[in-house]
Amino acid sequence: MIIDGKKISAVLREKLKEKVSKLKSKYNSVPGLTVILVGEDSPSQIYVKNKEKSANEVGIKSEVIRYPEKIEEKVVLDKIKELNDNNEVSG
């Protein structure tokens, strides 16, 4: 048996898009994804770019917060707390 990952992925994305649309209709709100990216690591940037693209494809709000590599840990932890307290951020 050969599994067509691209086809399965497309079907899953379409189902997720429908679910997000129903959430928007019912609650006038959609899930939100916020990513904190620290530094300029190329693989991480590619990973985050793909997550952002996927989120946008299905109607999920997406935001990327970028910090330089040399950032104080407290700044990042404060931002995480702020995001945790934000009802518009689901993950």
Side-chain angles (χ1 to χ4, degrees):
M1 172 195 278
I2 297 175
I3 297 174
D4 186 342
K6 287 185 179 185
K7 183 177 180 181
I8 293 170
S9 176
V11 169
L12 289 173
R13 276 195 307 277
E14 193 56 40
K15 287 180 182 179
L16 187 54
K17 188 175 185 178
E18 290 173 17
K19 288 182 179 184
V20 171
S21 179
K22 287 178 184 178
L23 282 172
K24 186 173 183 178
S25 295
K26 188 172 182 176
Y27 299 105
N28 196 29
S29 181
V30 296
L33 171 68
T34 301
V35 176
I36 296 174
L37 186 60
V38 178
E40 300 292 326
D41 183 60
S42 293
S44 294
Q45 289 180 9
I46 293 167
Y47 178 81
V48 168
K49 181 181 173 185
N50 289 333
K51 292 296 156 202
E52 190 173 25
K53 179 183 173 193
S54 295
N56 289 328
E57 280 181 17
V58 299
I60 294 174
K61 290 186 279 186
S62 177
E63 175 185 16
V64 179
I65 299 169
R66 299 175 191 278
Y67 287 118
E69 186 173 337
K70 294 186 180 197
I71 185 80
E72 290 183 29
E73 181 179 6
K74 182 180 181 338
V75 173
V76 177
L77 293 175
D78 287 347
K79 179 53 82 173
I80 291 170
K81 179 169 180 3
E82 177 187 323
L83 293 169
N84 283 337
D85 293 340
N86 184 340
N87 290 333
E88 292 186 12
V89 177
S90 309

